[in-house]
Amino acid sequence: MIPHVDTLILGGGLTGLSTAYHLQQLGYTDYLVVEREQEPGGLCRSFQKEGFTFDYSGHLLHLHTPYGKKFVKTLLKNNLRRIKRESWVYLQNRWIPFPIQANLYALPCAISHLCAEELLQKGPSTKPHSLKAWCISSFGAGLYKHFFRPYNTKLWGISPARLTCDWCGAFIPRPTRQEVLRSLTKKPAKAWGYNTYFLYPKTGGAGALIQALTKQIRYLRLHASVTQIDLNSKTARINGTLFRFNKLVNTLPLPQFLQLLKNAPELRKLALALKAAPVLVYQVAVKGKGKKFSWIYFPDKKDPFFRVGQQSSFSPENAPKGCRSFYIELPGNLRPTKTLEKQIWNSLLQKGIITEYDEKLFSFWQKLPTAYALYDFKRASVVQAVLSKLEKQACYLAGRYGKWEYSFMETSILQGREIAKKLIG
Ligand SMILES: Cc1cc2nc3c(=O)[nH]c(=O)nc-3n(C[C@H](O)[C@H](O)[C@H](O)COP(=O)(O)OP(=O)(O)OC[C@H]3O[C@@H](n4cnc5c(N)ncnc54)[C@H](O)[C@@H]3O)c2cc1C
């Protein structure tokens, strides 16, 4: 007989686990989470290496809703630190406080004045659609040229003219024109952005949340890879075995999920229109003391990376005493080679992020193939079309990758809760 479950949850990352947790909270246990890897957590996992704790790149808790805070505090109890962001933009050999658009005073005079003049030019009165138009209308052509264009081109792998601004609102701090101009001569009185303070586990890295959450989950199958789904017969092939289900929750990257669908040529074709911006991460551990910071943005083309975070700054437990660790994020089209490694080191040394007194202990690479859903002009309509077709077949999408959006861990927690309510309702 074919095994049967009412709700099948694909993927045991934070979103899949949150869905299962909230189903249980609602008194519902006829579900199964299937996860390909030998441990749950997806991108929110952490691991130990030679006394250091590493995340999959940095994973910090940005919690903005009372429920998100309550959820995390219930699970992590007092294993949490509250950290004040110390982040910078490295431009023209200077450390400019983040966000650059509220700290013009820290730029070389020639550039800051040009940025101010450009901002005073009257922009187009129509609503901007591209990321390029949004940046220019918000901050002026000068800041676009010196920061937003080069930084976003590195991160997304394509020109901001070919990206939409649909994701910007929550992520890019937007001081008013007056506030930008005032920052020419004066440090801003307030800190900008969604992440001025953030939470992070005292021990266990970001993965401590996953460890605590997994203890609550009753029906989780690891080493269980989904290879085919048939939404007509409501069956899924998992490690070669057929499973029946009534409802399906997908948290796998949407294009990959659509390719798993049997007898759905239209949906599989739509999958081809969804693109990702991959990220290559270089993690490194050193012995030695140095400048403390949370993360730094690097727009300059000469630097191969676009962001450097200091993992050891998030918790003293992340590195042995007297040591530091960094995650260095690079465009995903780069290949991890010795030459690239040398380029990274030279660049870090030149900026004083590491010094000649530091002893390199070890380093390793991570590849995140679908790190950012690409916000090109096709994404929104394709995702919408896919979503409405799938919901008609009791298949729900959730999470940053399942919904193919730019969102964070808190969104995974909240969407898991919403989906659980929807399934029960
Ligand atoms: C570089 C980077 C930095 C980030 N930093 C932060 C941060 O600081 N703060 C923050 O809040 N968020 C951050 N995020 C976002 C955060 O990682 C996501 O919001 C969150 O991990 C999404 O969880 P998920 O469960 O939806 O997806 P995932 O974590 O990707 O989980 C999906 C799961 O599905 C499994 N899977 C895949 N294919 C199959 C298959 N065929 N069969 C079975 N299982 C399968 C995978 O193994 C994985 O475990 C960052 C993301 C990136 C890329």
Side-chain angles (χ1 to χ4, degrees):
M1 212 172 72
I2 301 177
H4 179 273
V5 68
D6 188 53
T7 298
L8 184 64
I9 303 169
L10 306 183
L14 183 55
T15 312
L17 297 176
S18 167
T19 309
Y21 174 89
H22 289 101
L23 281 173
Q24 283 180 196
Q25 293 284 307
L26 294 167
Y28 174 96
T29 50
D30 193 359
Y31 74 83
L32 176 67
V33 184
V34 285
E35 166 54 49
R36 179 176 62 184
E37 302 293 328
Q38 60 185 359
E39 52 181 12
L43 278 179
C44 302
R45 284 173 291 168
S46 300
F47 56 94
Q48 316 288 321
K49 193 170 162 66
E50 297 179 31
F52 290 80
T53 301
F54 292 95
D55 298 332
Y56 282 72
S57 201
H59 267 78
L60 316 166
L61 287 158
H62 309 299
L63 304 173
H64 301 290
T65 64
Y67 184 75
K69 288 176 193 162
K70 186 177 150 205
F71 177 89
V72 168
K73 285 193 176 149
T74 305
L75 288 170
L76 287 177
K77 303 198 167 62
N78 56 13
N79 183 18
L80 271 175
R81 309 179 73 223
R82 186 168 182 263
I83 302 160
K84 186 171 186 287
R85 179 190 74 198
E86 281 179 52
S87 65
W88 307 85
V89 172
Y90 191 90
L91 193 77
Q92 302 273 333
N93 298 322
R94 291 178 186 221
W95 295 58
I96 321 279
F98 173 84
I100 191 168
Q101 59 271 34
N103 289 286
L104 291 190
Y105 74 90
L107 281 162
C109 268
I111 296 183
S112 62
H113 283 89
L114 180 126
C115 291
E117 273 168 34
E118 298 275 12
L119 182 60
L120 289 169
Q121 308 280 326
K122 198 168 161 23
S125 54
T126 50
K127 190 170 175 274
H129 288 294
S130 72
L131 175 58
K132 175 182 175 181
W134 186 88
C135 292
I136 294 177
S137 86
S138 308
F139 313 121
L143 273 167
Y144 177 70
K145 177 178 159 210
H146 287 285
F147 178 71
F148 290 98
R149 183 182 61 196
Y151 179 76
N152 282 290
T153 305
K154 266 196 208 178
L155 166 66
W156 296 98
I158 64 171
S159 157
R162 294 172 55 204
L163 292 164
T164 72
C165 56
D166 298 351
W167 57 276
C168 299
F171 293 96
I172 305 183
R174 200 178 182 189
T176 62
R177 280 180 178 221
Q178 283 80 355
E179 284 165 327
V180 177
L181 293 171
R182 215 176 295 137
S183 81
L184 206 53
T185 51
K186 223 176 158 193
K187 268 188 179 183
K190 75 175 207 189
W192 287 91
Y194 67 92
N195 52 11
T196 52
Y197 282 88
F198 54 88
L199 297 179
Y200 190 82
K202 286 179 192 160
T203 62
L209 180 66
I210 296 296
Q211 303 276 330
L213 178 56
T214 305
K215 283 191 190 140
Q216 311 283 327
I217 307 301
R218 273 196 238 163
Y219 304 107
L220 165 66
R221 190 166 297 187
L222 300 172
H223 276 306
S225 186
V226 188
T227 51
Q228 195 177 61
I229 296 143
D230 188 337
L231 290 176
N232 299 320
S233 64
K234 298 225 185 288
T235 52
R237 197 165 285 282
I238 300 162
N239 288 350
T241 303
L242 216 54
F243 270 75
R244 257 186 219 295
F245 58 83
N246 292 331
K247 299 164 207 152
L248 191 70
V249 178
N250 172 57
T251 75
L252 272 45
L254 188 55
Q256 274 93 312
F257 167 74
L258 295 174
Q259 292 298 353
L260 297 178
L261 295 179
K262 199 178 163 190
N263 300 325
E266 218 184 300
L267 284 166
R268 289 170 68 139
K269 198 170 162 208
L270 284 173
L272 302 176
L274 297 174
K275 307 272 183 252
V279 170
L280 178 66
V281 188
Y282 179 69
Q283 302 256 21
V284 61
V286 300
K287 190 169 177 192
K289 290 190 175 132
K291 188 174 162 73
K292 199 173 165 194
F293 59 84
S294 308
W295 61 86
I296 314 171
Y297 300 93
F298 293 89
D300 197 333
K301 248 192 193 162
K302 285 198 294 266
D303 301 312
F305 38 80
F306 57 84
R307 188 165 63 174
V308 173
Q310 193 171 162
Q311 181 82 38
S312 51
S313 75
F314 304 144
S315 167
E317 299 285 321
N318 274 356
K321 210 165 185 299
C323 296
R324 285 156 26 249
S325 54
F326 302 94
Y327 56 89
I328 293 137
E329 296 174 324
L330 306 102
N333 61 349
L334 295 178
R335 291 201 20 243
T337 60
K338 284 270 165 229
T339 316
L340 180 58
E341 191 171 11
K342 210 166 159 197
Q343 226 184 326
I344 295 171
W345 272 94
N346 288 342
S347 199
L348 294 177
L349 271 169
Q350 185 252 326
K351 292 164 179 64
I353 293 169
I354 51 165
T355 72
E356 57 190 297
Y357 303 108
D358 285 323
E359 179 196 342
K360 179 179 168 186
L361 299 174
F362 61 88
S363 64
F364 59 95
W365 300 92
Q366 290 172 326
K367 183 108 195 186
L368 312 179
T370 55
Y372 291 86
L374 196 77
Y375 272 68
D376 59 14
F377 284 92
K378 286 190 191 148
R379 191 205 73 94
S381 59
V382 172
V383 171
Q384 193 46 51
V386 167
L387 205 116
S388 54
K389 274 185 202 301
L390 292 178
E391 284 213 1
K392 282 186 198 132
Q393 292 181 282
C395 171
Y396 302 92
L397 305 178
R400 173 171 169 130
Y401 301 105
K403 289 185 104 164
W404 208 241
E405 64 182 20
Y406 190 170
S407 65
F408 270 22
M409 289 159 75
E410 188 179 40
T411 330
S412 297
I413 296 166
L414 299 177
Q415 287 184 1
R417 184 186 186 215
E418 264 170 47
I419 293 273
K421 283 186 188 163
K422 208 171 191 173
L423 291 168
I424 300 294

